[in-house]
Amino acid sequence: MHTLSLCIVTASTPQQAALFTTLIRDRQKNGLYPREIDFRVYSDPEKGRVGSGGGTFLALTQVCADYGVIDPLSFFEDTRILIIHAGGESRRLPCYVPEGKLFAPLPMPSSSLFPPVVLDAQLALFLKFPFRKGEVVVSSGDVVIDFDVSCVPINRGDVCGFAKPATYVQGSRHGVFAFDTARKKVVDFYQKATPHFLAKHAAIEGLSECALDMGIIALSPAAAVAYCTLSYAHESKNSLRNDIEQGSLNFDIYLEVLTACLAHITEEEYIKRIAPSSKLSKSAQQSIYKSFHQFTLNGIVTRSTSFLHFGALAELYESGNSLQHKDIKPFYVTGNSEVLPASAPHVLLYGCRNTIVSNNPAAPIVAEGCDGFTCISALGNNVFVGVTELEITTPIPLGICLDERVVTGKKIRLVYSMQDTFKKQDSVALVMFCGIPLTAWCNDRGIELTHVYPHGQESDLYEAELFAPELSDALLTGYWAIPLDKESWKQAFCKAVRHSLASLNALDSAQAREERRKKIRAHIIADQMCEGKGFTHICASDFGAVAVAYPRMLDAAVKLRTGTDDPLLKEYRHALLDALSATSVRGEAPTGFSIDYVSQEVRKFPAVSIKEDQIVWARSPVRLDIAGGWSDTPPYTLRFGGQVVNVAVNLNGQPPIQVFCRRTTEYHIRIHSIDIGVSETITQSEKLLDYTDPTSPFGLPKAALALLFGQVLATGVSLESVLRQCGSGIEITLLCAVPKGSGLGTSSILGATILGALHRFFGMSGTLDDLFLEVLQMEQMLTTGGGWQDQIGGVVGGVKFIKSQEGLRPSPIIHQCDSFLFDAPEMASRFTLFYTGITRLAKNILQEVVHNVNCSTPAYLYTINQTRELAKAAWDAMALRSQDALANILCRSWEANCRIHASTSNPQIDAMLKALRPWYQGVKLLGAGGGGYVLFLSKTTDDASELRKLLVQNYENSKARIVEFNLNKKGLEVTVS
């Protein structure tokens, strides 16, 4: 599984490209879109449209130029690219022309102030799509597609199309793949063939259906390079490449390119087949054939597929309703949502407030972005967008649509019909408006064509000047019903300063339209809070925007926070209110977040369970975290559950964390540290309970003793009297042969090892689950925080996939993985563990991570979700014994960690990794990063040897060094001498 790293959106004009860029950046700035995706927007040349084929060429060549690519093949081999062709005027969807079809709002649930749009739903598929390491995927911007990605094969060739089963009638309007009987091989590809032809030549074996092309094309790095080198000369003065760049050449990836990839087709047959539809010259066709015929067209018939068009008015209800039933959501939605589409029979309302739409017959109605006590009665097949403060009691006829705009501060209501001809026609006689011929519409109202076409262009409805600002309800109804007083209506119409669809779209502002939608959504959220609802998943930035706009809801939000018994929800609400300083304003300071992972009942000191001359010896390995880190850390793991893969290892042939406990005749507690060479003797309860003292190096053993017996000491009993009851004093010796800030989970594992030794010293019984929770409690006591993977990583040996469900007390389930990749000698020799000599504390990083999780920043949660999914992928890689897959997971885990916190890497580390890149396949700094240990996985043993030589020569110093390691299968061992 590989994550999409680069998303290119193509637009038809530089103006549209600038708009798309702004809309995407606004979402990134708000933390809505994943930070791991580099979004780029490119435009067709100003001189002309170049089609999906030319647009793909421009996208690939432009991104290579932007990245300064010298070797395109290497670049494409190391990048996962999605290209969404979103250009066009969207004429068949006039209500969303200003923002384009890609940013048309959709009826999906979310907690964001930004309305969910088509791009959000598209990313929901492509963020889970199993990209190959180097792959370019091309898609269209007016569809929402979803299918079972687990069935997508890894080996899909250089050019691969994606299809769904469909009727022959549906297939006749699109491209169709013809497969062999096993559905393994594409034998042909047909464009808009007749249903009868498809039934005969393209039926899917076992079905009375054909394989409909969904517009998704996957290209290998080699095929992407072929696109970038489309420069063969033809009869024009320029090359094919120059003609595309100048906008004088237009071709289609689905027609010209896919057809060229058919293995059986000759050049002559290719030209003959595409000639009726292709706009290319013969020599240009020959160039494309020569470039792509070297590749074989492959195809995949997807499963559990949704294929929803959002490119025309007539599709809005059916496709939007299907979104509801198929439960398709934006990729950033987790859990419940604050803003939901309204559901009613045959009525689809979303992004609306104070809006009532009634229909007489059972015909569908769509209303989006309406507000201000709007009440509309309609007969069905209607679309209402952005309508405000309108009350229509006389039913609006079948098919009539209302589209409200605000231009230069004035409200303009557009009226048109589902049946209107929004594309330019051959003559004015063919132009339809409000469901009837435009000429008839004008005659019924005594209007001349020159009134609506003062500048000519009489065959294009988009150029007809039909719409005036601030129309009264009586004038508005005259668009769909012949006015009773035609003369008055005509005079008012002719005197008004009217606009055409084209001029309004040019004047309208997509950003202003989106701000109006966000304002409605903010009002909905504020209303909910005032009603004691919601406030469960909105992110901090959106919550702040709502609070500024509607301060009345702050008191309600404070009540919601204080009124909940759910500590996780309460902490989330604390975080959002604290971001506004709202708690101090209302006299309630944040309480902090704590969970009693273990019982806090008062326990008596048990008697010492070893003989006077015995020593308890506990030792543990450290852990190498492979994938899933941060998903084990509260509050994320408590709210969403976590998944981690880590490996228990010895360093230099032995468990590096060791603890010794022995009896003493003095009734005090003495603690030694061999590795740092200091000791401390504790004779008073107060000193033991002061485990957070920053001047003491022994916070962990103090906290461990305080956890086990602190409740009785807190009652005022002296430490000496308690130890007398136990039978002796305690001497604890620590050996931690790992530097602090190593990234190997040292602190948590040491805490678990101390507890394991003390349990045996006092003869206390308990399970491993109890031990894991006790370590979580200790870290909470020490205010260092932390997750559950570190202690499990050291206490339980082997290679482990560890998973926990959401809940207040984690109860992780541990699965042992196939250890071949770490245990087999030929594999182990390809790993290199290097200590950088750079130390850092995870506490500060952890505090910021916890804050961002509490603030529910969507992009942040998405990144941690991805690390969690990488753990499952790592488990699969172990099972398959795939070194390549494991190396890729290491790199992706490292990339995700770098996005989670800026200090995960630094210039020194970046420079080292870049210089050593030829000699490793996978790499990851362990733990929270920023320093400590780095794990390399080389492709071969020879590469690993060369890597070690370079590390010794260039990067070793008084601290930095290579450290030998081996798999530890035993975990925590506790013995008595």
Side-chain angles (χ1 to χ4, degrees), residues 592-623:
F593 183 59
S594 63
I595 298 173
D596 290 335
Y597 292 108
V598 298
S599 173
Q600 295 298 299
E601 64 184 14
V602 176
R603 292 182 284 189
K604 295 181 179 180
F605 271 95
V608 175
S609 67
I610 63 171
K611 299 184 182 299
E612 292 181 357
D613 62 344
Q614 287 184 311
I615 298 175
V616 176
W617 178 27
R619 59 270 189 200
S620 297
V622 287
R623 65 98 185 98

Side-chain angles (χ1 to χ4, degrees), residues 77 94 103 189 195 350 430 447 483 500 572 586 647:
E77 285 178 341
F103 289 93
F189 182 71
Y350 52 105
L430 300 176
I447 296 172
S500 65
Y572 155 77
R586 282 156 179 75
V647 184

Side-chain angles (χ1 to χ4, degrees), residues 574-587:
H574 263 308
L576 267 61
L577 284 164
D578 291 347
L580 295 174
S581 301
T583 50
S584 60
V585 171
R586 282 156 179 75

Side-chain angles (χ1 to χ4, degrees), residues 622-632 643-649 742-746 749 789-790 793-794 798-800 802 822 831 833 840 867 870-871 874 878 886 889-891 893-894 897 904 923-929 931 933-935:
V622 287
R623 65 98 185 98
L624 312 180
D625 63 303
I626 303 302
W630 294 119
S631 76
D632 67 303
Q643 294 181 165
V644 170
V645 165
N646 63 32
V647 184
V649 298
S742 66
L744 301 183
T746 309
I749 297 172
Q789 82 138 320
D790 290 348
V799 184
K800 306 167 291 291
I802 315 163
F822 286 90
F831 284 98
L833 186 64
R840 55 95 195 97
T867 67
L870 281 172
M878 304 287 188
L886 179 61
I889 289 164
L890 285 171
C891 290
S893 296
W894 168 240
N897 284 4
T904 299
V923 68
K924 183 180 186 296
L925 265 73
L926 302 170
Y933 282 83
V934 55
L935 180 67

